[in-house]
Amino acid sequence: MDKVITIERHILRQQQMHPEATGTLTSILYDIALAGKMIARETTRAALEEILGLTGRFNVQGEEVAKLDDYANAAIVRLNQFTGRLAVMGSEEIDDIIPIPDEYPAGRYVLLFDPLDGSSNIDYSVSIGTIFSILRRKSPDGTRGTVEDCLQSGRNIVAAGYVLYGPSTMMVYSSGNGVQGFTLDQTVGEFLLTHPDITIPAKPKFYSVNQGYERHWSREIQEFTNCLQARNMSLRYIGSLVADFHRNLLGGGIFYYPADTRDSKLPHGKLRLLYEAEPLSFLAEHAGGKASDGKRPILTIEPEKLHQRTPLFIGNKELVELAEAYIRGDKP
Ligand code: AFP
């Protein structure tokens, strides 16, 4: 590549391809990139400032909330609530919808996010990430957004992506026209285009699953896993969905988190449809891959609850279809 393209320039160029665009979506994406830079700064400083450790609070999933989760959540809310661009927000950290305060105008878009996914990895300096999706509101313009605005199938996503806080900070996003990856140049504070038009490699290398739970899986999932092993695929599992997804997006492979019998309260697996599965499925499809709950495309699921969970099989198309075949009972 002989051009240096900042994320701002890239997003603006996408906007120019749509003469009807008002620039609102562009501005939301800028603000997410800014939030990503702020969160990246805190994740790298966290250990030094002794802010690691847990607040002693539990989020709506019953998981302990680390301080960085709070910071990341607040950064995204504060950057977006007053701009007049959003009707409502939803966060994996917050039980209910996040309304736009009455003193600010309500806008046309909905922002759903997981502020710090993989946060149980924070204390070990392992990669974590922020996941987001942007949709158009369904309720009438000029009113306050509603929960129904948030409960939309992934097919309605306008743009989605993630920021990965790893050895380098990366922002990967799609607004429906390819998947683009940017790396943060810390010295100038800019995300620069390093991975244009990402497509999942046709030959998959990795499978990613928490194999520690294998004995709790259905026979079909166990057989599917045996099949991957018979192909000599490498197991790679970080336990941060963003990081696992990112590696497989670039290297080729499948990530899955199936339903299991460990916890009767979690019959659909662990991952959240709105905050984790839908945005990454949007990216997977735009990168030539596929995402399924084992029976149907993730993006076709009509959500019923904000914190709904779903099994997830995501990545290389052939492997996701293979998983579906095993689950249907017609393994090849
Ligand atoms: P945390 O945010 O609690 O670390 O959960 C991360 C996550 O939702 C997702 O990022 C991982 O893929 C998955 O959970 C890991 O779950 P297991 O620890 O059960 O494998």
Side-chain angles (χ1 to χ4, degrees):
M1 265 188 301
D2 56 351
K3 292 184 198 136
V4 177
I5 300 177
T6 63
I7 198 163
E8 280 79 2
R9 195 174 293 170
H10 191 274
I11 296 172
L12 200 57
R13 202 182 278 174
Q14 297 285 312
Q15 182 195 321
Q16 283 158 356
M17 285 158 62
H18 298 274
E20 74 289 357
T22 60
T24 308
L25 180 64
T26 302
S27 304
I28 300 170
L29 286 166
Y30 283 170
D31 284 341
I32 291 168
L34 177 57
K37 289 183 210 173
M38 291 165 61
I39 298 166
R41 183 193 59 199
E42 293 303 309
T43 56
T44 41
R45 278 206 319 219
L48 299 171
E49 295 188 359
E50 292 188 322
I51 62 166
L52 287 182
L54 302 166
T55 58
R57 278 201 308 111
F58 290 83
N59 72 7
V60 289
Q61 322 287 346
E63 301 152 338
E64 286 175 299
V65 179
K67 285 180 182 171
L68 274 175
D69 296 55
D70 287 345
Y71 175 84
N73 193 70
I76 296 171
V77 171
R78 286 204 202 124
L79 277 171
N80 285 287
Q81 66 182 358
F82 67 93
T83 58
R85 300 175 191 131
L86 297 178
V88 64
M89 288 179 265
S91 164
E92 196 258 327
E93 284 300 325
I94 307 291
D95 200 353
D96 212 340
I97 57 171
I98 306 172
I100 300 301
D102 284 341
E103 62 262 41
Y104 305 125
R108 290 185 298 135
Y109 287 96
V110 177
L111 176 62
L112 302 180
F113 57 93
D114 181 350
L116 217 49
D117 185 62
S119 50
S120 59
N121 278 320
I122 293 172
D123 285 354
Y124 313 110
S125 267
V126 172
S127 302
I128 46 182
T130 298
I131 310 176
F132 67 92
S133 61
I134 303 167
L135 303 99
R136 289 200 180 80
R137 69 182 303 167
K138 297 181 98 178
S139 54
D141 283 349
T143 60
R144 301 283 122 184
T146 63
V147 67
E148 283 71 33
D149 290 321
C150 298
L151 296 177
Q152 299 194 50
S153 91
R155 286 274 176 251
N156 294 343
I157 289 176
V158 177
Y162 57 83
V163 184
L164 172 69
Y165 313 105
S168 50
T169 299
M170 284 196 69
M171 179 157 163
V172 175
Y173 90 98
S174 175
S175 51
N177 184 24
V179 177
Q180 318 297 336
F182 301 81
T183 305
L184 182 62
D185 182 336
Q186 302 274 7
T187 56
V188 292
E190 289 277 12
F191 280 108
L192 305 178
L193 183 63
T194 47
H195 296 67
D197 298 317
I198 298 171
T199 51
I200 299 180
K203 190 167 165 16
K205 277 197 225 159
F206 307 116
Y207 76 100
S208 311
V209 66
N210 190 336
Q211 212 153 347
Y213 304 144
E214 186 167 12
R215 67 191 185 287
H216 303 289
W217 298 341
S218 67
R219 186 173 45 79
E220 291 78 15
I221 302 295
Q222 291 179 7
E223 286 176 356
F224 169 62
T225 307
N226 293 342
C227 169
L228 299 180
Q229 290 169 339
R231 293 181 177 201
N232 289 323
M233 289 182 61
S234 286
L235 169 63
R236 292 280 190 284
Y237 190 74
I238 295 169
S240 281
L241 178 59
V242 174
D244 279 311
F245 176 81
H246 182 74
R247 183 199 50 248
N248 293 356
L249 179 72
L250 299 184
I254 183 169
F255 170 96
Y256 50 110
Y257 203 114
D260 62 48
T261 54
R262 253 178 316 149
D263 184 343
S264 57
K265 292 200 289 284
L266 297 178
H268 305 294
K270 181 181 181 193
L271 303 178
R272 296 78 170 171
L273 175 63
L274 286 179
Y275 304 118
E276 296 174 301
E278 277 192 7
L280 298 186
S281 300
F282 180 84
L283 290 177
E285 286 201 5
H286 283 283
K290 195 164 173 165
S292 167
D293 70 351
K295 296 189 175 120
R296 56 198 164 150
I298 291 286
L299 296 182
T300 63
I301 301 175
E302 294 292 339
E304 289 166 11
K305 290 191 298 193
L306 285 176
H307 293 275
Q308 186 168 330
R309 308 207 186 223
T310 179
L312 178 64
F313 299 80
I314 188 165
N316 181 275
K317 192 163 183 273
E318 182 229 329
L319 293 184
V320 173
E321 286 172 358
L322 188 65
E324 289 178 323
Y326 270 90
I327 289 165
R328 269 197 313 273
D330 43 74
K331 58 188 176 204

